[in-house]
Amino acid sequence: MSLDALTRSAILMMSIGEDAAAEVFKHLSAREVQAVGGAMANLKQVTRDEVASVLEDFRQEADQFMAVSLGSDDYIRSVLTKALGSDRAAGLIEDILEANNSTNGVDALNWLEPITVAELVRDEHPQIIATILVHLERDRAAEVLSMLNERLRNDVVMRIATFGGVQPSALHELTEVLNEVFSGQGAKRSRMGGVRTAAEIINMMNTTQEEAVIQSLRDRDNDLAQKIVDEMFVFENLIDVDDRGIQLLLKEVENDVLTMALKGVPDPVREKFLRNMSNRAAEMLREDLEGMGPVRLSQVEAEQKKILQIARRLAETGQITLGVRGDDAYV
């Protein structure tokens, strides 16, 4: 049985020694550290052949990697522009090149639990909260928002949707807030935020909060609310993803997550997934769905959001294209 990428990563980290593994972890994001660390903790019986296979694959990939010119910004720009086109590549290129900078105070918030971030920011000005949340991973930002009172939550989402960067006065205040937690680490000027960021964060919220936020936005600025809705990507929209994209998505989705997510969805959406699976896997999934009793809608929505999160990550790296309501593609 072949090992998935996360398990292979865990085996590699367990094989290279504590010092080397610790050095690798320094270069991973907070979410990546959690994922790989969890996989390491869950490793049970690993055979000698599996370890040898992982190490050999790593050696071959390392040899190929060292054969190219490393650290070339021009090379990265050229490759991504050719692959994705200038418009789609522009934002991704900047993210990649900026990722070489050391973690700043805002980015470091991704290491904190959402409840901790919520406690830190709940008494701050809504603009400061919006500035912080646009730097967080989308699902983490959604969790923080869910812990704020409804009035503040709606105000913050409005500010995220109309975010145009950090003004000097706001930047100064933000730095002061973060300095209380992170010893003097500054915050870089943000180019994040806007309608798409608001849509991505709202997508990660539970349905009740999502609907309340959208309704509040409509009451205040219907045109802005509609722009956000147009950018939002819901589970049913996965039917517009091509077969190759669905196959890539299926490689990263756990079976129990997929089974729960497909409970009660329209037949065309379910069939989209089933026809991109092996006959045996599709048959087993059908049997699981038929044998599943009533489940809470909130459980189904939670698993669907996990799959959407994976889909967005694949889209951000150019591996799949997500279609949304409207004329443009969501990438």
Side-chain angles (χ1 to χ4, degrees), residues 137-162:
E137 295 172 6
R138 299 300 181 243
D139 60 332
R140 194 166 292 258
E143 288 187 59
V144 174
L145 276 174
S146 71
M147 297 171 186
L148 306 179
N149 66 62
E150 184 175 1
R151 181 176 178 179
L152 178 58
R153 178 166 61 240
N154 294 339
D155 190 0
V156 170
V157 172
M158 171 68 78
R159 292 171 185 273
I160 290 173
T162 57

Side-chain angles (χ1 to χ4, degrees), residues 1-11 39 54 251-252 254:
M1 181 177 179
S2 61
L3 303 174
D4 60 62
L6 192 56
T7 301
R8 297 178 72 82
S9 297
I11 292 174
V54 168
K251 290 181 179 180
E252 302 206 25
E254 297 178 2

Side-chain angles (χ1 to χ4, degrees), residues 11-217:
I11 292 174
L12 176 64
M13 294 290 280
M14 295 289 285
S15 303
I16 61 177
E18 293 182 6
D19 293 340
E23 190 64 30
V24 171
F25 273 127
K26 292 179 183 179
H27 299 280
L28 301 181
S29 68
R31 185 52 52 90
E32 289 169 337
V33 169
Q34 291 175 341
V36 176
M40 292 169 65
N42 290 328
L43 280 180
K44 302 299 182 185
Q45 199 101 25
V46 180
T47 68
R48 183 185 299 272
D49 288 344
E50 287 173 333
V51 174
S53 174
V54 168
L55 293 176
E56 176 59 22
D57 287 347
F58 176 74
R59 185 193 66 77
Q60 292 180 8
E61 291 181 14
D63 286 344
Q64 294 176 8
F65 180 73
M66 293 304 294
V68 304
S69 175
L70 303 180
S72 172
D73 291 359
D74 290 339
Y75 178 78
I76 295 172
R77 292 180 188 278
S78 177
V79 169
L80 290 181
T81 300
K82 288 180 180 179
L84 306 177
S86 57
D87 290 340
R88 291 176 59 195
L92 183 59
I93 290 170
E94 190 168 349
D95 286 340
I96 290 173
L97 298 184
E98 284 187 357
N100 291 325
N101 297 330
S102 58
T103 301
N104 59 55
V106 181
D107 292 333
L109 289 171
N110 275 308
W111 288 90
L112 300 180
E113 289 299 317
I115 184 61
T116 303
V117 179
E119 290 298 327
L120 171 68
V121 304
R122 70 171 67 252
D123 294 325
E124 300 303 324
H125 190 281
Q127 186 62 49
I128 298 298
I129 300 176
T131 302
I132 289 174
L133 293 189
V134 299
H135 287 84
L136 299 185
E137 295 172 6
R138 299 300 181 243
D139 60 332
R140 194 166 292 258
E143 288 187 59
V144 174
L145 276 174
S146 71
M147 297 171 186
L148 306 179
N149 66 62
E150 184 175 1
R151 181 176 178 179
L152 178 58
R153 178 166 61 240
N154 294 339
D155 190 0
V156 170
V157 172
M158 171 68 78
R159 292 171 185 273
I160 290 173
T162 57
F163 196 83
V166 185
Q167 297 300 319
S169 58
L171 178 60
H172 177 72
E173 185 176 353
L174 174 61
T175 302
E176 287 186 345
V177 170
L178 296 178
N179 281 348
E180 295 176 2
V181 182
F182 304 108
S183 305
Q185 298 183 65
K188 65 183 179 183
R189 182 176 180 85
S190 174
R191 58 174 182 80
M192 305 171 74
V195 168
R196 178 162 295 175
T197 299
E200 291 172 349
I201 293 175
I202 294 173
N203 262 327
M204 291 286 99
M205 301 171 70
N206 67 52
T207 302
T208 300
Q209 293 175 343
E210 176 183 305
E211 292 174 350
V213 167
I214 292 297
Q215 185 57 53
S216 174
L217 290 170

